[in-house]
Amino acid sequence: VRDVTTGRSCDSRGDGKSRRQWKEKILEILAEIQAPLSLLTLRLCNWFLLKLLNRLFLGVQLHRGQLEMVLRATRTPDVPLVFLSTHKSQLDGLLLSFLLFSQGLGVPRVTVDGQVCSPRLRALLARLGGIFLPWRTEQMPNDQDEGLPGAVLAAYVEEVLRSRQPLLIFLEEPPVALRLSAPARHWLALVYRAMRDGAVPDVLLVPVGIAYDVIP
């Protein structure tokens, strides 16, 4: 991030006002990516999800073998977890977060496609652990020169992995199945870049998923 701001400020004197302006831009981009978790919103959402599950489904079955694999993965010392999942419905992110949270695994940071969210829904999901590509990155996913938004996003992913916050990446976007989506490709590239640059020595990739008899 400092390299990008320094390169763009080469024609200025780099005074205090210029630094404040850059800091404001960086904080604006960071606010597009994530928001602080709200414990009150998380508790209300958990209560609501329990009511919703009882009304939507006859039953919810938890695969004990997969749960044991996930719990075993969490016991690996000093290695961040990256959960990879297919995407069957828009409820998947909330359901997987709820299940992981209920098993004492903490609240994962969940990648969300911001282009299908209204501003209010985006703000709510961010409080529940949702993370988004910055607006410019969403509009131009194949742009090689992402500038400051790309630098802030890369630094953010490095910090998430370094602090061992669980990260959940959806590999596809419904209704297009069995095809790696452009946002997923971007998030995976950021994880790979963090490893390549030495931000973390290793990453543990753990497959998780939800199957429905009837997709809601």
Side-chain angles (χ1 to χ4, degrees):
V1 174
R2 187 181 296 114
D3 290 344
V4 173
T5 57
T6 302
R8 295 190 177 187
S9 302
C10 59
D11 296 330
S12 65
R13 295 177 300 172
D15 54 12
K17 182 178 179 180
S18 176
R19 286 195 293 270
R20 284 195 302 273
Q21 290 175 341
W22 279 116
K23 184 175 181 180
E24 289 174 359
K25 290 181 180 179
I26 291 168
L27 291 176
E28 288 176 1
I29 296 169
L30 186 60
E32 293 178 9
I33 299 172
Q34 62 104 51
L37 294 175
S38 171
L39 293 179
L40 175 60
T41 306
L42 283 167
R43 292 191 182 101
L44 288 174
C45 184
N46 284 338
W47 174 83
F48 174 75
L49 272 178
L50 285 173
K51 300 291 185 182
L52 182 66
L53 290 175
N54 287 329
R55 289 185 175 274
L56 278 182
F57 306 113
L58 293 176
V60 177
Q61 297 179 347
L62 194 60
H63 194 291
R64 290 296 176 183
Q66 189 180 53
L67 177 60
E68 177 57 33
M69 179 189 68
V70 172
L71 293 175
R72 188 166 62 248
T74 62
R75 294 191 288 268
T76 305
D78 301 324
V79 178
L81 293 180
V82 176
F83 297 108
L84 302 179
S85 177
T86 56
H87 207 177
K88 303 301 182 184
S89 90
Q90 299 297 343
L91 282 177
D92 288 1
L94 289 174
L95 289 173
L96 281 173
S97 295
F98 170 72
L99 290 172
L100 294 172
F101 182 68
S102 67
Q103 297 300 315
L105 302 179
V107 181
R109 289 293 184 173
V110 183
T111 61
V112 182
D113 184 1
Q115 294 183 340
V116 300
C117 296
S118 66
R120 289 186 178 180
L121 180 59
R122 181 169 179 148
L124 173 63
L125 293 178
R127 289 290 185 177
L128 297 173
I131 56 175
F132 305 82
L133 295 174
W135 179 82
R136 178 181 170 183
T137 306
E138 285 181 339
Q139 298 299 316
M140 297 177 291
N142 295 321
D143 188 5
Q144 296 298 318
D145 182 19
E146 297 172 347
L148 188 59
V152 174
L153 181 62
Y156 172 77
V157 171
E158 288 183 1
E159 288 302 318
V160 168
L161 296 176
R162 191 180 290 117
S163 60
R164 297 197 64 197
Q165 297 180 60
L167 178 62
L168 171 59
I169 299 176
F170 286 107
L171 301 178
E172 57 195 14
E173 290 298 330
V176 182
L178 302 179
R179 182 184 302 173
L180 189 65
S181 67
R185 189 177 294 110
H186 202 109
W187 288 111
L188 291 171
L190 289 166
V191 172
Y192 169 74
R193 176 177 170 179
M195 283 189 56
R196 182 198 64 191
D197 294 345
V200 289
D202 199 2
V203 171
L204 198 57
L205 302 179
V206 182
V208 295
I210 294 180
Y212 303 93
D213 290 334
V214 178
I215 297 177

